[in-house]
Amino acid sequence: MDYLLLILCSIFALVSGSSTTLQISSFDEVFSHLFGDNNLQVLKDGKSVHLSLDRRTGSGFLSHDLYLHGFFSASIKLPAYYTAGVVAFYMSNGDIYEKNHDEIDFEFLGNIRGKEWKIQTNIYGNGSTSVGREERYSLWFDPCDDFHQYTIRWSQDHIIFYVDNVAIREIKRTESMGGDYPSKPMTLYATIWDASEWATNGGKYKVNYKYAPYIAEFTNLVLHGCTVDPIELLSLQCDHETSSDSIVPMDRVKMESFRKKHMKYSYCQDQIRYKTPPSECVVDPKEAKKPKNIDSITFRGHHHGKRHQQSRLESF
Ligand SMILES: *[C@@H]1O[C@H](CO)[C@@H](O)[C@H](O)[C@H]1NC(C)=O
């Protein structure tokens, strides 16, 4: 009896430990429209948003505030079939620091019917755009069927990406990374845009607008971090504790098992792209493998930001 109780208690502790009780934001209080006019729709509940992509334009939103570190999360349901549109949930300060921006990305790379979505994570620090640190994964569910939670946790020396509370990647700041670790305040963004030229199988499959509009649904947006005054970038207002930065051992076991099963690409293992892997990579030579299909690995390069600017020009 006591034993059963103990098990129940530990299950409860686990569940409550890994799920967050952070407050869900009302859209208008914390976000603004970025581009795509009516292709952004805030639902009546005030906390859910539809971002759609059609032949005319994609759409996107951004946080009012700049954040230095914190917990940033959204439940997202992705559009199905022939998208090649990229849905991105990311942090950036590219509009403030054109030459030396920072970025932390979740990118959903589109799909074709019957094929699984791939998701990508990446970071840039202080303009390190010549060193992509991309990883790509499959998921253990179909992200078009339902909402799933995608989370970025960012602290002074760890960045952790989560899917439904499963840690999928941890980036530890190392001395040798230098400025490549994101360290300046950033804005949180969510966008959908046409990335036909690279996203799905390296551009082999384009967005098929016969099936448009493609709608990415967002809800349960959580922003908990230290907000920064945009003028005096130094004054911080924090509503989250910055302890527990690293991953607890049990979550690390889960993360390792996820990565073994679902990681399809890691820059650390891409010997064609990096003859010498970036300094933070710990590569076991036995594990190092060439990407299976190098043709299909195409990366975004710099045009993400440009695309936003174009769209901004078009819509204002
Ligand atoms: C970031 O880049 C700027 C401009 O290129 C440079 O002056 C600065 O030292 C860099 N910071 C770090 C931490 O590397």
Side-chain angles (χ1 to χ4, degrees):
M1 184 62 189
D2 282 350
Y3 189 55
L4 181 65
L5 195 65
L6 188 68
I7 290 174
L8 285 177
C9 288
S10 7
I11 289 173
F12 182 72
L14 265 182
V15 169
S16 57
S18 55
S19 70
T20 51
T21 48
L22 296 171
Q23 203 193 328
I24 290 162
S25 302
S26 121
F27 184 82
D28 289 332
E29 272 170 33
V30 289
F31 293 105
S32 310
H33 206 140
L34 174 63
F35 71 101
D37 53 78
N38 291 335
N39 283 15
L40 181 152
Q41 300 262 335
V42 182
L43 304 197
K44 283 215 180 75
D45 67 5
K47 61 187 179 68
S48 306
V49 188
H50 287 180
L51 290 184
S52 62
L53 167 68
D54 57 28
R55 212 179 284 277
R56 214 170 40 89
T57 181
S59 52
F61 60 85
L62 79 171
S63 62
H64 295 165
D65 284 323
L66 279 162
Y67 295 86
L68 182 68
H69 309 146
F71 179 105
F72 309 92
S73 178
S75 289
I76 308 172
K77 187 176 168 199
L78 296 171
Y81 304 145
Y82 301 105
T83 60
V86 163
V87 175
F89 179 64
Y90 65 104
M91 307 193 68
S92 175
N93 49 27
D95 53 347
I96 306 174
Y97 303 96
E98 275 180 33
K99 293 269 155 61
N100 62 330
H101 88 289
D102 305 280
E103 206 175 301
I104 304 177
D105 301 319
F106 253 119
E107 291 177 319
F108 306 89
L109 301 178
N111 74 342
I112 52 172
R113 189 190 278 271
K115 291 276 161 55
E116 62 194 359
W117 273 76
K118 294 262 168 32
I119 64 171
Q120 173 169 297
T121 59
N122 191 22
I123 62 159
Y124 295 119
N126 210 31
S128 66
T129 48
S130 60
V131 187
R133 290 178 159 86
E134 291 90 352
E135 286 187 354
R136 291 185 179 184
Y137 331 84
S138 59
L139 296 167
W140 61 95
F141 52 81
D142 181 347
C144 313
D145 274 352
D146 210 343
F147 286 93
H148 291 272
Q149 191 188 15
Y150 303 89
T151 301
I152 295 168
R153 257 177 64 196
W154 172 36
S155 69
Q156 198 166 337
D157 24 49
H158 289 87
I159 294 165
I160 308 168
F161 294 90
Y162 295 85
V163 176
D164 285 342
N165 298 313
V166 176
I168 63 163
R169 178 179 189 181
E170 178 184 35
I171 297 165
K172 284 185 219 168
R173 180 182 212 151
T174 63
E175 211 167 312
S176 59
M177 280 177 86
D180 289 11
Y181 186 91
S183 54
K184 299 190 291 296
M186 293 191 269
T187 306
L188 183 69
Y189 292 85
T191 54
I192 186 169
W193 47 289
D194 184 332
S196 286
E197 73 273 22
W198 67 277
T200 308
N201 278 44
K204 196 160 146 201
Y205 301 102
K206 315 286 181 207
V207 175
N208 186 340
Y209 285 106
K210 198 167 95 187
Y211 301 99
Y214 291 103
I215 301 175
E217 302 176 42
F218 290 76
T219 192
N220 295 349
L221 291 149
V222 175
L223 287 98
H224 267 252
C226 300
T227 54
V228 177
D229 184 305
I231 311 294
E232 299 163 58
L233 287 170
L234 291 171
S235 69
L236 285 181
Q237 277 227 320
C238 296
D239 64 358
H240 97 133
E241 39 15 284
T242 44
S243 61
S244 69
D245 282 337
S246 192
I247 303 181
V248 298
M250 209 160 62
D251 286 350
R252 192 176 299 281
V253 172
K254 270 201 233 164
M255 177 172 81
E256 273 155 23
S257 128
F258 167 86
R259 292 170 67 81
K260 217 170 188 175
K261 220 174 182 167
H262 293 280
M263 191 161 75
K264 302 291 181 200
Y265 173 86
S266 166
Y267 74 106
C268 282
Q269 297 175 354
D270 188 342
Q271 294 167 337
I272 294 168
R273 197 170 172 208
Y274 300 114
K275 289 235 159 51
T276 314
S279 58
E280 73 279 7
C281 291
V282 183
V283 182
D284 177 343
K286 274 180 293 185
E287 280 180 17
K289 55 187 175 213
K290 291 183 183 154
K292 280 191 203 97
N293 183 357
I294 193 72
D295 289 345
S296 71
I297 308 278
T298 311
F299 298 102
R300 160 159 57 83
H302 297 260
H303 54 260
H304 198 189
K306 215 189 269 165
R307 221 154 242 288
H308 285 171
Q309 277 165 10
Q310 267 170 13
S311 308
R312 274 195 233 192
L313 288 177
E314 279 158 19
S315 55
F316 295 132

Short mmCIF file of all heavy atoms in Angstrom, two decimals, residues 31 61 71-77 89 106 108 147-152 162-164 188-190 217-223:
data_model
loop_
_atom_site.label_atom_id
_atom_site.label_comp_id
_atom_site.label_asym_id
_atom_site.label_seq_id
_atom_site.Cartn_x
_atom_site.Cartn_y
_atom_site.Cartn_z
N PHE A 31 2.34 40.51 -27.56
CA PHE A 31 2.81 40.38 -28.94
C PHE A 31 2.24 41.45 -29.85
O PHE A 31 1.18 42.02 -29.57
CB PHE A 31 2.41 39.02 -29.51
CG PHE A 31 3.10 37.86 -28.86
CD1 PHE A 31 2.41 37.05 -27.96
CD2 PHE A 31 4.43 37.57 -29.12
CE1 PHE A 31 3.04 35.97 -27.35
CE2 PHE A 31 5.07 36.51 -28.51
CZ PHE A 31 4.38 35.70 -27.63
N PHE A 61 4.37 37.16 -36.02
CA PHE A 61 4.23 38.08 -34.89
C PHE A 61 5.51 38.11 -34.08
O PHE A 61 6.38 37.25 -34.25
CB PHE A 61 3.01 37.74 -34.03
CG PHE A 61 2.99 36.37 -33.40
CD1 PHE A 61 3.64 36.14 -32.18
CD2 PHE A 61 2.31 35.31 -34.00
CE1 PHE A 61 3.60 34.88 -31.58
CE2 PHE A 61 2.26 34.04 -33.40
CZ PHE A 61 2.92 33.83 -32.19
N PHE A 71 12.30 31.52 -20.33
CA PHE A 71 11.56 30.32 -20.73
C PHE A 71 10.53 30.77 -21.76
O PHE A 71 9.70 31.62 -21.45
CB PHE A 71 10.89 29.74 -19.48
CG PHE A 71 10.07 28.51 -19.72
CD1 PHE A 71 10.53 27.26 -19.33
CD2 PHE A 71 8.80 28.60 -20.30
CE1 PHE A 71 9.75 26.12 -19.54
CE2 PHE A 71 8.03 27.47 -20.51
CZ PHE A 71 8.51 26.23 -20.13
N PHE A 72 10.60 30.24 -22.96
CA PHE A 72 9.76 30.70 -24.07
C PHE A 72 9.11 29.49 -24.70
O PHE A 72 9.80 28.59 -25.17
CB PHE A 72 10.61 31.46 -25.08
CG PHE A 72 11.45 32.53 -24.43
CD1 PHE A 72 12.74 32.25 -24.01
CD2 PHE A 72 10.93 33.78 -24.17
CE1 PHE A 72 13.52 33.20 -23.36
CE2 PHE A 72 11.68 34.75 -23.52
CZ PHE A 72 12.98 34.45 -23.12
N SER A 73 7.78 29.48 -24.71
CA SER A 73 7.11 28.25 -25.09
C SER A 73 5.83 28.53 -25.86
O SER A 73 5.18 29.56 -25.66
CB SER A 73 6.80 27.49 -23.79
OG SER A 73 6.13 26.32 -24.05
N ALA A 74 5.49 27.61 -26.77
CA ALA A 74 4.22 27.72 -27.50
C ALA A 74 3.72 26.32 -27.81
O ALA A 74 4.51 25.41 -28.05
CB ALA A 74 4.42 28.48 -28.80
N SER A 75 2.39 26.17 -27.78
CA SER A 75 1.80 24.96 -28.32
C SER A 75 1.46 25.25 -29.77
O SER A 75 0.80 26.24 -30.07
CB SER A 75 0.53 24.59 -27.56
OG SER A 75 0.88 24.14 -26.28
N ILE A 76 1.95 24.39 -30.65
CA ILE A 76 1.83 24.66 -32.08
C ILE A 76 1.24 23.45 -32.79
O ILE A 76 1.61 22.31 -32.50
CB ILE A 76 3.20 24.98 -32.71
CG1 ILE A 76 3.92 26.09 -31.92
CG2 ILE A 76 3.06 25.37 -34.18
CD1 ILE A 76 5.36 26.34 -32.35
N LYS A 77 0.30 23.72 -33.69
CA LYS A 77 -0.23 22.68 -34.58
C LYS A 77 0.12 23.10 -36.00
O LYS A 77 -0.23 24.18 -36.44
CB LYS A 77 -1.74 22.57 -34.39
CG LYS A 77 -2.36 21.42 -35.13
CD LYS A 77 -3.84 21.33 -34.83
CE LYS A 77 -4.49 20.36 -35.79
NZ LYS A 77 -5.94 20.55 -35.85
N PHE A 89 9.67 29.32 -34.85
CA PHE A 89 9.44 29.85 -33.52
C PHE A 89 10.84 30.13 -32.99
O PHE A 89 11.61 29.20 -32.79
CB PHE A 89 8.72 28.78 -32.69
CG PHE A 89 8.43 29.19 -31.27
CD1 PHE A 89 7.57 30.24 -30.99
CD2 PHE A 89 9.00 28.50 -30.21
CE1 PHE A 89 7.29 30.60 -29.68
CE2 PHE A 89 8.72 28.86 -28.89
CZ PHE A 89 7.86 29.92 -28.64
N PHE A 106 13.77 27.35 -33.50
CA PHE A 106 13.04 26.13 -33.80
C PHE A 106 12.50 26.35 -35.21
O PHE A 106 11.79 27.33 -35.44
CB PHE A 106 11.81 26.01 -32.90
CG PHE A 106 11.90 24.97 -31.82
CD1 PHE A 106 11.81 25.34 -30.49
CD2 PHE A 106 12.02 23.63 -32.14
CE1 PHE A 106 11.86 24.39 -29.48
CE2 PHE A 106 12.08 22.67 -31.12
CZ PHE A 106 12.00 23.05 -29.80
N PHE A 108 10.39 24.50 -38.46
CA PHE A 108 9.63 23.33 -38.91
C PHE A 108 9.68 23.37 -40.43
O PHE A 108 9.23 24.33 -41.05
CB PHE A 108 8.21 23.42 -38.38
CG PHE A 108 8.16 23.59 -36.88
CD1 PHE A 108 8.17 24.86 -36.31
CD2 PHE A 108 8.14 22.48 -36.05
CE1 PHE A 108 8.15 25.02 -34.94
CE2 PHE A 108 8.12 22.63 -34.67
CZ PHE A 108 8.13 23.90 -34.11
N PHE A 147 -1.92 19.85 -31.15
CA PHE A 147 -0.97 20.81 -30.58
C PHE A 147 0.11 20.08 -29.80
O PHE A 147 -0.17 19.13 -29.07
CB PHE A 147 -1.70 21.77 -29.64
CG PHE A 147 -2.52 22.78 -30.36
CD1 PHE A 147 -3.86 22.55 -30.61
CD2 PHE A 147 -1.95 23.97 -30.80
CE1 PHE A 147 -4.62 23.49 -31.29
CE2 PHE A 147 -2.70 24.91 -31.48
CZ PHE A 147 -4.05 24.67 -31.72
N HIS A 148 1.34 20.55 -29.95
CA HIS A 148 2.44 20.06 -29.13
C HIS A 148 3.26 21.26 -28.68
O HIS A 148 3.32 22.27 -29.35
CB HIS A 148 3.31 19.07 -29.90
CG HIS A 148 2.59 17.79 -30.18
ND1 HIS A 148 2.58 16.72 -29.31
CD2 HIS A 148 1.81 17.43 -31.23
CE1 HIS A 148 1.85 15.75 -29.81
NE2 HIS A 148 1.36 16.15 -30.98
N GLN A 149 3.86 21.08 -27.51
CA GLN A 149 4.56 22.21 -26.91
C GLN A 149 6.03 22.23 -27.31
O GLN A 149 6.73 21.23 -27.19
CB GLN A 149 4.44 22.12 -25.38
CG GLN A 149 4.89 23.37 -24.67
CD GLN A 149 4.95 23.17 -23.16
OE1 GLN A 149 4.93 22.06 -22.66
NE2 GLN A 149 5.05 24.28 -22.44
N TYR A 150 6.47 23.39 -27.76
CA TYR A 150 7.88 23.59 -28.15
C TYR A 150 8.45 24.70 -27.28
O TYR A 150 7.86 25.78 -27.18
CB TYR A 150 7.95 23.94 -29.63
CG TYR A 150 7.29 22.89 -30.51
CD1 TYR A 150 5.94 22.97 -30.82
CD2 TYR A 150 8.01 21.78 -30.94
CE1 TYR A 150 5.31 21.97 -31.57
CE2 TYR A 150 7.40 20.78 -31.70
CZ TYR A 150 6.06 20.89 -32.01
OH TYR A 150 5.45 19.91 -32.75
N THR A 151 9.57 24.40 -26.64
CA THR A 151 10.09 25.32 -25.63
C THR A 151 11.57 25.59 -25.83
O THR A 151 12.35 24.68 -26.14
CB THR A 151 9.88 24.71 -24.22
OG1 THR A 151 8.49 24.46 -24.03
CG2 THR A 151 10.40 25.63 -23.13
N ILE A 152 11.92 26.85 -25.64
CA ILE A 152 13.33 27.25 -25.60
C ILE A 152 13.62 27.74 -24.19
O ILE A 152 12.92 28.62 -23.69
CB ILE A 152 13.60 28.42 -26.58
CG1 ILE A 152 13.38 27.98 -28.03
CG2 ILE A 152 15.01 28.98 -26.38
CD1 ILE A 152 13.33 29.15 -29.03
N TYR A 162 13.06 21.92 -25.91
CA TYR A 162 12.17 20.85 -25.47
C TYR A 162 11.03 20.67 -26.47
O TYR A 162 10.55 21.64 -27.06
CB TYR A 162 11.48 21.21 -24.15
CG TYR A 162 12.37 21.34 -22.95
CD1 TYR A 162 13.02 22.54 -22.69
CD2 TYR A 162 12.55 20.27 -22.07
CE1 TYR A 162 13.83 22.68 -21.57
CE2 TYR A 162 13.36 20.40 -20.96
CZ TYR A 162 13.99 21.60 -20.71
OH TYR A 162 14.79 21.75 -19.60
N VAL A 163 10.59 19.43 -26.62
CA VAL A 163 9.33 19.14 -27.31
C VAL A 163 8.47 18.38 -26.32
O VAL A 163 8.90 17.32 -25.82
CB VAL A 163 9.57 18.30 -28.58
CG1 VAL A 163 8.24 17.93 -29.23
CG2 VAL A 163 10.45 19.05 -29.57
N ASP A 164 7.31 18.92 -26.02
CA ASP A 164 6.44 18.30 -25.01
C ASP A 164 7.21 17.92 -23.74
O ASP A 164 7.09 16.80 -23.24
CB ASP A 164 5.76 17.04 -25.57
CG ASP A 164 4.64 17.41 -26.54
OD1 ASP A 164 4.16 18.56 -26.51
OD2 ASP A 164 4.23 16.52 -27.31
N LEU A 188 11.12 37.55 -29.23
CA LEU A 188 10.57 36.25 -29.61
C LEU A 188 9.70 36.42 -30.85
O LEU A 188 8.89 37.35 -30.91
CB LEU A 188 9.74 35.68 -28.46
CG LEU A 188 9.15 34.29 -28.68
CD1 LEU A 188 10.24 33.23 -28.70
CD2 LEU A 188 8.11 33.95 -27.62
N TYR A 189 9.86 35.55 -31.82
CA TYR A 189 9.12 35.62 -33.08
C TYR A 189 8.41 34.31 -33.37
O TYR A 189 8.90 33.24 -32.99
CB TYR A 189 10.07 35.83 -34.26
CG TYR A 189 10.76 37.17 -34.34
CD1 TYR A 189 11.95 37.39 -33.65
CD2 TYR A 189 10.25 38.19 -35.13
CE1 TYR A 189 12.61 38.60 -33.75
CE2 TYR A 189 10.91 39.40 -35.23
CZ TYR A 189 12.09 39.61 -34.54
OH TYR A 189 12.74 40.81 -34.64
N ALA A 190 7.32 34.39 -34.13
CA ALA A 190 6.74 33.21 -34.76
C ALA A 190 6.33 33.62 -36.16
O ALA A 190 5.73 34.68 -36.35
CB ALA A 190 5.54 32.70 -33.98
N GLU A 217 -1.22 26.88 -36.23
CA GLU A 217 -1.99 27.35 -35.08
C GLU A 217 -1.09 27.41 -33.85
O GLU A 217 -0.36 26.47 -33.57
CB GLU A 217 -3.17 26.41 -34.83
CG GLU A 217 -4.09 26.29 -36.04
CD GLU A 217 -5.20 25.27 -35.83
OE1 GLU A 217 -5.77 25.24 -34.73
OE2 GLU A 217 -5.48 24.51 -36.78
N PHE A 218 -1.19 28.52 -33.16
CA PHE A 218 -0.39 28.74 -31.94
C PHE A 218 -1.32 28.98 -30.77
O PHE A 218 -2.29 29.72 -30.89
CB PHE A 218 0.50 29.98 -32.08
CG PHE A 218 1.63 29.82 -33.05
CD1 PHE A 218 1.40 29.87 -34.42
CD2 PHE A 218 2.92 29.63 -32.60
CE1 PHE A 218 2.44 29.72 -35.32
CE2 PHE A 218 3.98 29.49 -33.49
CZ PHE A 218 3.73 29.53 -34.84
N THR A 219 -0.99 28.39 -29.64
CA THR A 219 -1.72 28.73 -28.42
C THR A 219 -0.81 28.51 -27.21
O THR A 219 0.33 28.06 -27.36
CB THR A 219 -3.04 27.92 -28.32
OG1 THR A 219 -3.84 28.48 -27.28
CG2 THR A 219 -2.80 26.44 -28.03
N ASN A 220 -1.33 28.84 -26.02
CA ASN A 220 -0.55 28.68 -24.78
C ASN A 220 0.85 29.26 -24.90
O ASN A 220 1.85 28.60 -24.63
CB ASN A 220 -0.44 27.20 -24.39
CG ASN A 220 -1.79 26.61 -24.04
OD1 ASN A 220 -2.77 27.34 -23.89
ND2 ASN A 220 -1.84 25.31 -23.91
N LEU A 221 0.89 30.51 -25.33
CA LEU A 221 2.19 31.17 -25.46
C LEU A 221 2.68 31.61 -24.08
O LEU A 221 1.95 32.24 -23.33
CB LEU A 221 2.05 32.38 -26.38
CG LEU A 221 1.77 32.00 -27.84
CD1 LEU A 221 0.93 33.04 -28.54
CD2 LEU A 221 3.08 31.76 -28.57
N VAL A 222 3.89 31.20 -23.78
CA VAL A 222 4.46 31.54 -22.47
C VAL A 222 5.78 32.27 -22.67
O VAL A 222 6.65 31.79 -23.39
CB VAL A 222 4.70 30.28 -21.61
CG1 VAL A 222 5.38 30.64 -20.30
CG2 VAL A 222 3.40 29.54 -21.34
N LEU A 223 5.89 33.43 -22.09
CA LEU A 223 7.15 34.18 -22.11
C LEU A 223 7.49 34.51 -20.68
O LEU A 223 6.80 35.32 -20.05
CB LEU A 223 6.99 35.51 -22.83
CG LEU A 223 6.86 35.54 -24.33
CD1 LEU A 223 5.41 35.65 -24.70
CD2 LEU A 223 7.62 36.73 -24.85
#
